[in-house]
């Protein structure tokens, strides 16, 4: 039994749970002719999901997987049963050993969150805030009982992870849009610093690189027969005349679990992306390439994944190959053929940047004033200290001139005169 590889984009804890309980599907395809490296049979660690409670999530599922009863229930459960929380009630039937380990994991997670809160408050120099109240903002566990892992905890963990990961793609798109607007903003700001001649040269260079990037071979529609046949021939090294959808599915189900997950799907688009992007070319942006890969994967999932569980079964895949769009797809518009943002959106983004810069400048000015005030107070104290020392020295000199014994810092005599 081994973990399947779960991509960061996977948006359902359901998929993560169900697939840990599925045995590898035996494949009768001869993969010796395929130009790919063999997959090791060792345990595959799922990559970081990007969630702040990622480690806790993995450890909980890892422990639950060791309970035979829970695994059997998990195999029989459907998507809605898990997402609705009904499966969480089965937690009461797991072994005492598993419950003890889950309790320990929860205590460790609560301790970690409290340390995060303390570190944040220390950085803000804030005191008098109830740490327990701040724990409420973390909705992936039941903070009311920090010592016991209950069915409520499993239910909250599933719902939190599902919700957070479902927003993963949306967040990526938003970040990419900001990235593109920032690029354009910086380009325009740089042009403002140039004289007219240099500015024209830069504008000409920019248009030249843009045209060079757009001059690429035709990109096949993701998930179409032409696109898959190209992978079959160039990546798998097989005769295009022998193309068979069922064999193709099994060849690219890398971990042999009976599904094409999002990571396995995205791997199918590498050849298409290489037509447009080359890391050696100055005009090709690799951040844009990953956004294009994401768009392709989303498109195929929307077309093929009929039950919307973010996994493609063999049945769903074969059904998609029977559609007209598989044989006669529309042309695929790459990012360079689309308007990524409007001028109004760019202006709004620049206004936001301006506000942020103004706020940072205000804080910097405030800190500078505080620094200057501290320096002024320091200089004033130093001046007073020097005046005090000079006064003491003058008094000592007068005493010596008058034949009196010099005094200590508090005015006491340093030695007793002889009588």
């Amino acid at each position: 039994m081994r973990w399947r590889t779960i991509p960061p984009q996977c948006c359902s804890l359901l998929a993560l749970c169900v697939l840990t309980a599925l045995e590898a599907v035996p494949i009768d395809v001869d993969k010796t002719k395929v130009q790919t490296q063999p997959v090791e049979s060792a345990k595959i660690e799922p990559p970081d999901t990007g969630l702040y409670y990622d480690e806790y999530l993995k450890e909980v599922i890892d422990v639950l997987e060791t309970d035979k009863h829970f695994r059997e229930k998990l195999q029989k459960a459907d998507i809605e049963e898990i997402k609705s929380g009904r499966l969480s009630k089965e937690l009461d039937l797991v072994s005492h050993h598993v419950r003890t380990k889950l309790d320990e994991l929860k205590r460790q997670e609560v301790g970690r969150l409290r340390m995060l809160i303390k570190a944040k408050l220390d950085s803000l120099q804030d005191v008098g805030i109830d740490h327990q109240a701040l724990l409420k903002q973390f909705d992936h566990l039941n903070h009311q009982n920090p010592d016991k892992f209950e069915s409520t905890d499993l239910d909250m963990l599933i719902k939190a992870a599902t919700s957070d990961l479902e927003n993963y793609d949306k967040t990526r798109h938003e970040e990419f849009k900001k990235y593109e607007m920032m690029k354009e903003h910086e380009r325009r700001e740089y042009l403002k610093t140039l004289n007219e001649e240099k500015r024209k040269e830069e504008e000409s260079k920019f248009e030249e690189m843009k045209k060079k990037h757009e001059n690429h071979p035709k990109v096949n529609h993701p998930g179409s027969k032409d696109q898959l046949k190209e992978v079959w021939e160039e990546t798998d090294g097989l005769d295009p005349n022998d193309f068979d959808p069922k064999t193709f599915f099994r060849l690219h189900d890398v971990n042999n679990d009976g599904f094409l997950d999002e990571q396995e799907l995205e791997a199918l688009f590498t050849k298409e992306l290489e037509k447009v992007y080359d890391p050696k070319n100055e005009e090709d942006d690799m951040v844009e390439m990953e956004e294009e890969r994401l768009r392709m994967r989303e498109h195929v999932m929307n077309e093929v994944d009929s039950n919307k569980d973010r996994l493609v079964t063999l049945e769903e895949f074969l059904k998609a190959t029977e559609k007209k769009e598989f044989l006669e797809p529309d042309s695929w518009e790459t990012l360079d053929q689309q308007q990524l943002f409007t001028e109004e959106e760019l202006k709004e983004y620049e206004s936001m940047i301006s506000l942020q810069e103004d706020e940072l400048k205000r804080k910097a000015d405030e800190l500078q004033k505080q620094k200057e005030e501290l320096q002024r107070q320091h200089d004033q104290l130093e001046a007073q200290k020097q005046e005090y020392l000079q006064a003491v020295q003058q008094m000592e000199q007068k005493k010596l001139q008058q034949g009196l014994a010099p005094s200590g810092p508090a005015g006491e005599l340093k030695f007793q005169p002889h009588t």
Side-chain angles (χ1 to χ4, degrees):
M1 183 66 189
R2 59 178 174 83
W3 278 89
R4 66 180 272 104
T5 302
I6 304 296
Q9 301 93 322
C10 184
C11 75
S12 175
L13 176 62
L14 162 67
L16 188 61
C17 293
V18 172
L19 295 173
T20 60
L22 294 177
E23 295 294 340
V25 180
I27 302 297
D28 55 3
V29 180
D30 182 8
K31 294 191 177 183
T32 58
K33 298 180 181 180
V34 184
Q35 299 172 357
T36 56
Q37 296 296 324
V39 179
E40 295 181 3
S41 59
K43 182 178 179 180
I44 301 176
E45 292 295 337
D48 194 337
T49 61
L51 301 175
Y52 65 88
Y53 49 91
D54 173 77
E55 194 65 29
Y56 176 64
L57 172 65
K58 292 175 183 176
E59 289 174 343
V60 168
I61 295 173
D62 207 11
V63 170
L64 286 172
E65 187 196 15
T66 63
D67 187 87
K68 182 180 179 181
H69 170 79
F70 193 87
R71 280 184 55 188
E72 290 176 352
K73 288 291 183 180
L74 191 59
Q75 279 184 303
K76 298 175 183 178
D78 57 24
I79 296 174
E80 292 306 319
E81 187 176 358
I82 296 176
K83 294 176 72 173
S84 66
R86 294 196 296 272
L87 187 67
S88 302
K89 297 177 182 178
E90 299 295 330
L91 188 67
D92 296 332
L93 303 178
V94 301
S95 67
H96 175 72
H97 174 69
V98 170
R99 290 300 295 267
T100 301
K101 293 192 72 173
L102 290 173
D103 291 344
E104 181 182 352
L105 287 177
K106 182 177 179 180
R107 287 192 291 270
Q108 292 174 357
E109 179 69 1
V110 171
R112 184 182 71 87
L113 296 177
R114 284 176 172 165
M115 289 181 64
L116 288 175
I117 292 173
K118 183 179 183 302
K120 182 65 175 177
L121 294 180
D122 288 346
S123 67
L124 297 174
Q125 296 183 345
D126 207 341
V127 293
I129 296 181
D130 183 3
H131 286 212
Q132 189 66 21
L134 288 177
L135 277 174
K136 294 180 181 179
Q137 66 179 299
F138 302 108
D139 58 358
H140 66 288
L141 50 74
N142 179 17
H143 58 85
Q144 294 179 346
N145 188 356
D147 298 318
K148 292 289 184 180
F149 189 98
E150 302 170 324
S151 58
T152 306
D153 289 287
L154 182 57
D155 185 37
M156 292 178 70
L157 184 60
I158 291 175
K159 290 179 178 178
T162 301
S163 175
D164 292 341
L165 291 173
E166 279 177 349
N167 293 323
Y168 181 83
D169 288 346
K170 181 181 178 181
T171 302
R172 277 185 60 181
H173 287 310
E174 291 174 351
E175 291 302 317
F176 173 74
K177 189 173 183 178
K178 290 179 181 178
Y179 168 78
E180 289 293 323
M181 289 192 290
M182 177 57 78
K183 273 196 342 184
E184 179 62 18
H185 168 71
E186 291 179 344
R187 187 183 75 85
R188 294 185 184 186
E189 290 299 307
Y190 173 66
L191 291 176
K192 292 178 183 178
T193 65
L194 306 177
N195 59 40
E196 186 176 355
E197 183 180 354
K198 288 289 184 180
R199 187 162 56 251
K200 287 182 179 179
E201 289 180 4
E202 284 297 323
E203 289 282 17
S204 177
K205 181 181 177 182
F206 175 75
E207 292 299 326
E208 182 181 346
M209 290 177 61
K210 188 176 178 181
K211 289 179 181 178
K212 189 176 179 181
H213 172 71
E214 293 172 353
N215 185 24
H216 54 73
K218 177 187 174 183
V219 176
N220 291 315
H221 195 97
S224 66
K225 185 175 182 179
D226 289 339
Q227 190 259 314
L228 300 185
K229 280 185 69 175
E230 195 168 289
V231 175
W232 173 277
E233 180 179 5
E234 297 187 17
T235 302
D236 301 333
L238 300 175
D239 189 336
N241 297 320
D242 295 334
F243 177 75
D244 176 62
K246 182 181 290 187
T247 304
F248 182 91
F249 180 94
R250 290 174 172 173
L251 286 175
H252 293 276
D253 174 18
V254 179
N255 53 9
N256 296 342
D257 63 0
F259 301 93
L260 290 183
D261 61 33
E262 294 177 337
Q263 193 176 36
E264 290 166 334
L265 276 179
E266 289 185 359
L268 300 179
F269 310 135
T270 299
K271 281 291 177 184
E272 299 303 317
L273 295 169
E274 288 176 349
K275 297 176 182 178
V276 186
Y277 300 95
D278 185 341
K280 299 177 182 178
N281 295 338
E282 183 183 1
E283 68 273 9
D284 297 337
D285 189 334
M286 296 301 103
V287 175
E288 292 179 1
M289 183 186 75
E290 291 309 314
E291 174 69 9
E292 190 75 76
R293 190 191 301 274
L294 173 60
R295 289 179 63 244
M296 290 179 171
R297 186 256 297 163
E298 284 183 320
H299 173 75
V300 172
M301 275 293 185
N302 289 333
E303 293 292 319
V304 181
D305 181 23
S306 57
N307 66 354
K308 306 304 176 185
D309 64 352
R310 307 298 284 259
L311 297 166
V312 176
T313 63
L314 176 60
E315 181 182 358
E316 288 173 328
F317 183 79
L318 294 179
K319 189 174 181 179
T321 62
E322 298 172 358
K323 297 179 180 179
K324 180 182 178 182
E325 292 79 4
F326 179 72
L327 299 174
E328 302 174 8
D330 297 330
S331 59
W332 177 257
E333 289 189 354
T334 54
L335 285 172
D336 51 62
Q337 298 172 294
Q338 297 186 354
Q339 184 180 16
L340 301 178
F341 52 85
T342 64
E343 194 66 28
E344 290 74 17
E345 288 174 325
L346 179 58
K347 289 180 179 178
E348 184 179 347
Y349 181 69
E350 288 179 327
S351 297
M352 181 191 70
I353 293 175
S354 179
L355 289 175
Q356 291 176 345
E357 290 176 346
D358 290 343
E359 179 64 16
L360 288 174
K361 186 177 183 302
R362 184 189 66 79
K363 290 181 178 179
D365 291 342
E366 186 177 327
L367 289 173
Q368 181 63 30
K369 289 178 181 179
Q370 292 176 2
K371 178 182 177 181
E372 292 173 355
E373 176 62 20
L374 289 173
Q375 185 64 45
R376 186 189 66 80
Q377 294 176 4
H378 174 74
D379 294 342
Q380 188 177 14
L381 289 173
E382 283 294 320
Q384 292 174 354
K385 179 180 177 181
Q386 290 300 324
E387 290 176 2
Y388 172 76
L389 291 175
Q390 289 176 4
V392 171
Q393 289 175 358
Q394 290 174 0
M395 291 176 64
E396 295 299 328
Q397 288 176 358
K398 287 181 179 180
K399 288 181 179 181
L400 288 173
Q401 291 173 358
Q402 296 172 2
L404 300 175
S407 59
E412 73 277 8
L413 293 177
K414 287 187 177 180
F415 58 88
Q416 297 295 330
H418 294 288
T419 58

